[in-house]
Amino acid sequence: MTQVFKFGGASIQDAAAIRRVGELLARFRARPLIVVVSAMGKTTNALETLLAAARAGETEEYRDRLETLRQEHLTTVEALFGDRAGPVTERVEALITELDQLHRRHASRERPFHYDQTVCYGELLSTTIISAWLDEAGMATEWLDARDLVVTDDCHQAANVDWQATVERVRGLATDDDKIRVTQGFIGGTTEGVSTTLGREGSDFSAAILAHCLDAEEVTIWKDVPGLFNADPRRFDNAVQLERISYDEAIELAWHGAKVIHPKTLGPLQQKSIPLTVRSFEDLEAPPSTIGRDTRFDTQTPSLVLLEEQTLLEIRSRDFAFMDEPRQHDILGRLVEAGLHASLIDAGAMRLSLCLDDGHPDRLEPLVSSLCADYAVVRHEDLTLLTVRHADDALLAALSAGRDSLAERRNADTAQRLFPSTQCQGTWHIPL
Ligand code: ADP
Ligand code: ASP
Ligand code: MG
C-alpha cells in the first residue's frame, strides 16, 4: 500500500538539507511512495514580497527580489550537482523566466488570483531540484505537477478540493514500481488548468489529500521536532511529546493554532483511518508521534497552544440593546463576509467580543470600519491567546498568575484566556 511522505520548508532549506533528505529516503523508502514537498526555506514569504513589489510596479525592487530568488535556487543547484548542474540549472532558469513573464500578464488581475499564479513557483522550483537530486543519488523519480492532480475550485488563496475529480486524477499513482513520485504541496489547479493554493502551510493538507484519494497506508510528515508535543517545545521548556494521540484531539490542537500541523490535514485521514506519523528529519532514531483512532491517551496530559498577534474587538450596541441573536447574526455575518476567523467568541448580555488574527489587515480594517459605523467598538491590540485542553482550575490559575485576562471562554475540555502579549514574552513553563 502507498505511503506518503511530506517534507516542509526547513527540511529542504539548502543543499546540505536536501542531501540529508536523500539519505533519509534511501534508508526509509517504501514502495509505492509519494513525496510531497514544500517550497525551500522561507521561499513562500519571499514570493509574497515579490508579488507586492510586482503589483506596486516598483521595478527595481522587483528585479532585485527576483534575482535573489533565482540566485538562491541556483546556488543550491550548484552546491548539489557541481559540474553536472547544467540540465537542472536550465530547468530552474526556465521556471524563473516563466515567473517573470506571468507578472506582466496578470498585473491587472485581482490580487488572490495573481497571488496563486506567483507563489506556486516556490514548490515548482523545490520539487524540480529535489527530484533531480534523488535521480542523481540513484533513486528513480517521477516529477508530478500537483496542479494536474489536486483539483480545486477557483477560490484563490484558500481553494476547496474537488474530491471526486482528484480521486480520478490520482488513481493511477499507486503503481508498485520502483519510482518515487515527487510532487508539490500547497498547490492545486482548477479543471481549466489555472493554478490555485490551499492556504499558507497547506503542504501537510496536500499530503493528506493524496493519501485519502489513494487509500494510503500511512502519512509521515518529517519535521524539525521529534513529534507532536503537548505545547510548542520552542516556547515551553517542559513540553512533553505525545507519542499517541487521536485524530479528534490533534484536530482540536491544530484548530486552536498548534502550528505543527495544518488544521485541514487530519479530517481526510480520519475518514479513511489512515494514521499520521510526525517524526524528526534531524534525529532519525527519535520515537515519533502517531495520530490515529486510539483515544486512550488523550486526556492524560493537558495541552497548551499560544496564538500571538491577536486583536480583541468588544462590540456593544449604541442604544443599550441586548446583544441578542439578531445582533450576533449581523456581526458574525460581517465577519464571514470579511473572510476572517474568530479564534475566540465571548458573548455577554450587552457585549460580543471577537478575538481575531492581526495578520490580515486588508480584511480586518474594513471589518472594523463597518462595525464602528453601527456599533460601539473597543479595540485591544497586541494580545496572545492561550488555549489549554484538559486543564484543571489549579493549572489555569497558575498559568494566569501575573497576567491580566481580557477575555475568556471555557467548555468541558477547553479553556481559553487572552492576555496582553507584553505579559507573555519569553519561555513558558507548564506548572505541574
Ligand atoms: P514545516 O517544516 O513542516 O512547515 P513547521 O515549522 O510548520 O514545519 O512546524 C514545525 C514547528 O512547529 C516546530 O519547529 C515547533 O516549534 C512548532 N510547534 C508548535 N506547536 C507544536 C507542538 N504542539 N508540537 C510540536 N511542534 C510544535
Ligand atoms: N510553502 C507554503 C508555505 O510556506 C506551504 C507549506 O510550506 O506548507 O506556506
Ligand atoms: Mg509549516
Side-chain angles (χ1 to χ4, degrees):
M1 271 169 95
T2 308
Q3 296 258 357
V4 180
F5 283 3
K6 179 256 164 171
F7 293 96
S11 65
I12 51 154
Q13 61 186 344
D14 54 22
I18 293 173
R19 273 202 192 90
R20 275 201 305 275
V21 167
E23 287 158 17
L24 180 161
L25 283 173
R27 179 164 159 199
F28 292 101
R29 70 160 302 179
R31 288 180 180 75
L33 176 63
I34 301 195
V35 172
V36 175
V37 184
S38 302
M40 290 173 61
K42 302 277 178 226
T43 303
T44 307
N45 293 350
L47 283 162
E48 286 185 347
T49 323
L50 180 79
L51 175 75
R55 289 184 75 77
E58 295 161 30
T59 7
E60 200 176 323
E61 188 193 343
Y62 166 76
R63 287 268 139 240
D64 287 350
R65 292 193 184 279
L66 186 70
E67 183 53 23
T68 306
L69 197 75
R70 175 176 167 270
Q71 282 303 338
E72 280 170 2
H73 285 85
L74 289 179
T75 304
T76 303
V77 170
E78 189 72 26
L80 283 170
F81 297 89
D83 290 351
R84 297 152 65 88
V88 194
T89 301
E90 260 174 45
R91 270 176 269 155
V92 167
E93 292 278 23
L95 285 168
I96 297 285
T97 305
E98 254 176 61
L99 172 63
D100 186 23
Q101 286 168 350
L102 73 85
H103 285 306
R104 300 204 182 93
R105 278 207 308 281
H106 300 316
S108 57
R109 300 286 303 259
E110 325 79 82
R111 185 182 179 278
F113 170 88
H114 193 181
Y115 180 99
D116 283 358
Q117 310 322 302
T118 305
V119 298
C120 63
Y121 278 83
E123 273 72 9
L124 294 172
L125 284 160
S126 68
T127 49
T128 298
I129 297 171
I130 286 156
S131 182
W133 174 248
L134 297 181
D135 281 332
E136 178 81 8
M139 289 168 266
T141 64
E142 182 180 6
W143 182 91
L144 297 165
D145 192 329
R147 297 171 300 178
D148 301 331
L149 298 175
V150 178
V151 183
T152 72
D153 64 7
D154 62 358
C155 180
H156 288 288
Q157 286 195 261
N160 301 294
V161 178
D162 178 338
W163 291 95
Q164 195 48 46
T166 304
V167 167
E168 277 158 29
R169 300 268 183 102
V170 305
R171 198 175 273 148
L173 297 184
T175 322
D176 198 3
D177 58 19
D178 221 26
K179 286 205 175 113
I180 297 179
R181 290 179 167 80
V182 178
T183 194
Q184 306 79 38
F186 178 52
I187 72 176
T190 65
T191 41
E192 288 77 37
V194 176
S195 307
T196 56
T197 60
L198 303 171
R200 284 302 308 263
E201 303 287 333
S203 296
D204 295 339
F205 182 35
S206 300
I209 295 167
L210 296 176
H212 174 97
C213 293
L214 286 164
D215 290 313
E217 186 180 354
E218 187 181 19
V219 174
T220 305
I221 53 180
W222 299 84
K223 295 269 175 188
D224 59 359
V225 279
L228 184 64
F229 283 64
N230 72 329
D232 185 346
R234 296 191 202 286
R235 284 303 298 279
F236 290 81
D237 61 6
N238 58 343
V240 293
Q241 189 175 342
L242 305 168
E243 292 194 8
R244 269 188 288 169
I245 167 171
S246 73
Y247 295 115
D248 286 338
E249 186 63 25
I251 287 171
E252 288 289 338
L253 293 178
W255 167 258
H256 285 110
K259 186 178 160 285
V260 64
I261 304 170
H262 188 281
K264 286 187 180 169
T265 309
L266 291 151
L269 300 179
Q270 181 173 29
Q271 217 188 354
K272 298 258 177 110
S273 297
I274 301 169
L276 174 69
T277 298
V278 182
R279 72 186 283 185
S280 167
F281 63 78
E282 286 167 341
D283 179 1
L284 301 179
E285 311 307 327
S289 296
T290 302
I291 301 164
R293 297 204 81 82
D294 196 344
T295 55
R296 273 177 301 164
F297 304 93
D298 285 355
T299 51
Q300 284 181 358
T301 322
S303 300
L304 293 81
V305 180
L306 283 179
L307 204 57
E308 280 162 347
E309 298 180 3
Q310 302 294 300
T311 286
L312 180 71
L313 302 180
E314 286 175 352
I315 307 157
R316 291 181 171 77
S317 67
R318 288 234 176 87
D319 52 4
F320 308 106
F322 290 128
M323 197 42 83
D324 53 6
E325 282 78 2
R327 283 185 182 77
Q328 291 190 18
H329 182 259
D330 173 49
I331 293 167
L332 295 178
R334 295 185 200 202
L335 178 77
V336 172
E337 210 146 279
L340 287 166
H341 158 71
S343 35
L344 179 150
I345 299 176
D346 180 13
M350 308 299 286
R351 166 193 56 79
L352 184 69
S353 296
L354 301 179
C355 176
L356 305 165
D357 205 293
D358 264 355
H360 307 283
D362 51 324
R363 296 182 210 167
L364 182 59
E365 297 314 325
L367 173 70
V368 174
S369 307
S370 135
L371 290 171
C372 286
D374 299 317
Y375 295 92
V377 180
V378 178
R379 180 173 179 165
H380 304 266
E381 291 181 313
D382 204 10
L383 306 174
T384 296
L385 180 63
L386 169 72
T387 300
V388 191
R389 301 264 305 155
H390 315 299
D392 56 24
D393 291 342
L395 176 65
L396 271 180
L399 285 164
S400 306
R403 301 188 168 106
D404 306 309
S405 177
L406 278 86
E408 304 191 1
R409 194 187 72 98
R410 189 165 184 183
N411 62 25
D413 45 27
T414 308
Q416 291 183 293
R417 289 194 177 168
L418 191 62
F419 302 120
S421 294
T422 46
Q423 298 175 353
C424 299
Q425 304 300 311
T427 305
W428 284 50
H429 189 78
I430 306 168
L432 297 170

